[in-house]
């Protein structure tokens, strides 16, 4: 079976799950979720060219990363990478990533990229709100490995907002 073709629901899902198989994906009494996450983060840190945000076109993109990407109307938006296109690895040149879109509320006294970000929701024909997701090609990605800060007063489950701080 050709996993990279995406020619079938099972094949594309299998290709997606093969991306992180360098790590033991099983959470059990042998390995907690925290241990699995720590091993994945250590591996990703080793693979990255830089730990800080970067504009390098060859930067590796991993699921869970935040990126800044341009859109057709000329603006820049924040995205969280959910998974990579079938058969792609973090360094693929023509990479496309399936991403969650975040909307910005600009802080009037600061401006720029500083602001409050929250997941963008779209109203569907059925009347339900769903999370806005889209494919973002590497050619539209501007800043990789974006870091963010959540103020202490916002560390509650009832608040789904993030204040973004990008340092160059």
């Amino acid at each position: 079976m050709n996993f990279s073709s995406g020619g079938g629901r099972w094949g594309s899902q299998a290709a997606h799950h093969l991306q992180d198989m360098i790590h033991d994906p099983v959470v059990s009494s042998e390995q907690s979720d925290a241990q699995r996450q720590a091993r994945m983060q250590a591996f990703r840190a080793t693979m990255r060219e830089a730990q800080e945000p970067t504009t390098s076109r060859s930067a590796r993109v991993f699921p869970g990363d935040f990126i800044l990407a341009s859109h057709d109307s000329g603006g820049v938006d924040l995205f969280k990478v959910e998974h990579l296109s079938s058969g792609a690895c973090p360094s693929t040149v023509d990479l496309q990533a399936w991403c969650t879109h975040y909307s910005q509320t600009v802080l009037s006294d600061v401006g720029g990229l500083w602001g409050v970000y929250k997941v963008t929701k779209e109203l569907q024909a059925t009347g339900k709100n769903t999370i806005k997701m889209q494919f973002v090609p590497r050619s539209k990605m501007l800043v990789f490995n974006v870091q963010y800060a959540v103020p202490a007063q916002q560390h509650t489950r009832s608040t789904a907002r993030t204040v973004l701080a990008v340092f160059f």
Side-chain angles (χ1 to χ4, degrees):
M1 173 182 265
N2 182 358
F3 290 123
S4 63
S5 69
R9 183 169 168 78
W10 187 85
S12 64
Q13 287 181 349
H16 166 66
H17 290 294
L18 290 173
Q19 290 174 4
D20 264 340
M21 292 305 285
I22 195 163
H23 307 285
D24 178 3
V26 178
V27 174
S28 67
S29 60
E30 299 296 318
Q31 174 179 254
S32 70
D33 188 51
Q35 289 171 312
R36 184 185 65 81
Q37 290 287 355
R39 287 185 179 128
M40 266 187 3
Q41 291 305 324
F43 171 74
R44 290 176 179 181
T46 302
M47 295 298 293
R48 291 188 199 278
E49 296 169 1
Q51 298 307 309
E52 63 277 344
T54 180
T55 58
S56 171
R57 302 306 302 159
S58 63
R60 287 169 172 78
V61 179
F62 293 98
D65 285 358
F66 283 89
I67 59 171
L68 291 176
S70 63
H71 50 78
D72 295 334
S73 62
V76 175
D77 288 327
L78 176 69
F79 294 90
K80 179 182 179 192
V81 176
E82 298 300 335
H83 63 85
L84 307 180
S85 54
S86 294
C89 69
S91 59
T92 301
V93 174
D94 58 348
L95 173 78
Q96 283 202 11
W98 185 243
C99 300
T100 302
H101 182 266
Y102 282 72
S103 299
Q104 177 190 22
T105 303
V106 178
L107 299 177
S108 59
D109 55 335
V110 181
L113 294 174
W114 290 90
V116 176
Y117 287 79
K118 60 183 176 179
V119 173
T120 305
K121 304 259 179 149
E122 294 180 308
L123 183 62
Q124 300 298 312
T126 60
K128 289 186 172 184
N129 277 328
T130 59
I131 294 173
K132 180 178 179 181
M133 297 189 67
Q134 66 190 70
F135 274 110
V136 178
R138 184 181 286 274
S139 61
K140 298 275 186 178
M141 297 178 190
L142 303 173
V143 181
F144 304 86
N145 199 25
V146 171
Q147 307 296 313
Y148 63 91
V150 179
Q153 69 270 20
Q154 292 187 4
H155 282 281
T156 64
R157 288 183 57 72
S158 63
T159 304
R161 298 184 308 168
T162 301
V163 177
L164 178 70
V166 179
F167 303 99
F168 292 94

